[in-house]
Every structure is written in structure tokens, then in C-alpha cells.
Amino acid sequence: AQSVTQPDIHITVSEGASLELRCNYSYGATPYLFWYVQSPGQGLQLLLKYFSGDTLVQGIKGFEAEFKRSQSSFNLRKPSVHWSDAAEYFCAVSSTGRRALTFGSGTRLQVQP
Amino acid sequence: NAGVTQTPKFQVLKTGQSMTLQCAQDMNHEYMSWYRQDPGMGLRLIHYSVGAGITDQGEVPNGYNVSRSTTEDFPLRLLSAAPSQTSVYFCASSPTQGRGETQYFGPGTRLLVL
């Protein structure tokens, strides 16, 4: 069965600093990988997704993620964090059987001024 | 388009009560699903539907029923609420059931069972 691990429960960065959120997946075949963001009191919004092609994927709001098959990772990055990026970030993998998403437990990002 | 809408936004129930969480989408999406979100556990799939009249169980279906009589609506029913069902519930939809499809999420319903 597929699974997703986000090892960092909570991360604090200063505004303007770079950001990397870690995601490791376990999946037997070619994974379909996603990053979603949840602002406080809101639903989830797609940041970016990967399922083939270039392993560096660009998303909205200046985010990017790199797929590394050898490390089973799909880490999310942003060169310069803005205060509005404070939110919870979820990595997810798409299953073949139920056509649904398996989510990691999430990483809460706090941005210091 | 309103996207995916959910009602109510917040609900308090007593143990044993029943209720229906409403979900509607106006994007003519084929695929709809329900997730629950609990602290430290991410989102877990409860039930899903690949089209009107077709539903199936997800990872945590016990205590919940669903039906899909129209493309637009996918209500989630709690027959006899339990404190373990205290959670935030999200409905999502996508154009098809394809693996690479983007899921569009509603704003969520926060449920407290006393």
C-alpha cells in the first residue's frame, strides 16, 4: 500500500528566507505526487503536481518541487518566503485502486517577521 | 462557478444523533469524495463516487453512508454520531477519476460530537 511521510510537523522560517519541506513516499509503481496548501479555516488548494517528465516541477505562488526517484522524495521549495505563506502543507500520492489521494500528516509553516 | 460548497460550516451533535453533511459542486465533475481531517493524521478517505449512482468505500468508512443521485450532490450521512467522529470533513471533486487529476476541495465542515 502507498504511504506518505512528512517528517517535519512544524517549521518556522523568517520572512525572506528559503524554505524546503520534506516529503517521502512509498509506492510500488510510478507515483503521481501532489503538494496542497491549507490556509487557516480554508480547504486545500493545489500547489503543484508531478507524474511524468521533468523532475523539477513549478507551481503557483513561486513554489517548486523536485522528484527524486532514488530517494523516494518529492520536496517542496521556495527561494524566499512571504508572511502569507504561513499555512499547513500536505504532500499526497495518488493511488491506482481507489483513484483517491493518500496524504501525509502535514507540515505547519510559521513565518516570522 | 461556486466550485465545491459544503454545509453546514460547523455543527455540534450529541452522541447517537444523526445528521447529513451536504456537498455540492457546479463544475460537472464526475468524481467526488469525502475526507476527514484529524490532527497529526492528514486527510483520510471516507467514501468516494465515480459518477451518479456509483459509490465505494474508502479507508475509514465505518459509521458513514453516502449516495450519489445526481452529478452535483454527494451528501455524507452519520447515522448515529460518536465522539470519535469529531473531525473536520472535506468534500472534494475532480473532472474524472484519473490519477493525475487535480482535486478541488470545499471549505470544510467542522463537527463536534459530545
Side-chain angles (χ1 to χ4, degrees), chain A residues 39-52:
Chain A
S39 298
Q42 303 296 315
L44 280 72
Q45 180 185 22
L46 179 72
L47 285 176
L48 48 80
K49 61 183 177 181
Y50 169 82
F51 41 89
S52 65

Side-chain angles (χ1 to χ4, degrees), chain A:
Chain A
Q2 67 279 352
S3 65
V4 177
T5 302
Q6 294 181 248
D8 303 305
I9 296 172
H10 184 231
I11 284 181
T12 300
V13 300
S14 298
E15 192 169 16
S18 64
L19 172 70
E20 182 169 27
L21 302 182
R22 296 183 291 166
C23 172
N24 293 98
Y25 67 90
S26 173
Y27 189 69
T30 300
Y32 283 47
L33 295 160
F34 304 78
W35 274 100
Y36 282 83
V37 60
Q38 183 182 27
S39 298
Q42 303 296 315
L44 280 72
Q45 180 185 22
L46 179 72
L47 285 176
L48 48 80
K49 61 183 177 181
Y50 169 82
F51 41 89
S52 65
D54 193 344
T55 56
L56 186 62
V57 182
Q58 301 298 320
I60 62 171
K61 304 184 181 185
F63 285 91
E64 66 179 26
E66 186 171 13
F67 171 63
K68 292 185 177 180
R69 185 185 298 274
S70 61
Q71 300 178 16
S72 297
S73 69
F74 188 55
N75 294 349
L76 182 71
R77 301 194 295 245
K78 187 169 185 178
S80 178
V81 171
H82 188 262
W83 63 266
S84 61
D85 293 323
E88 189 152 20
Y89 292 81
F90 292 94
C91 183
V93 63
S94 177
S95 67
T96 53
R98 294 197 170 113
R99 295 291 190 268
L101 295 171
T102 297
F103 285 87
S105 55
T107 297
R108 182 167 298 278
L109 174 65
Q110 185 176 353
V111 180
Q112 288 182 333

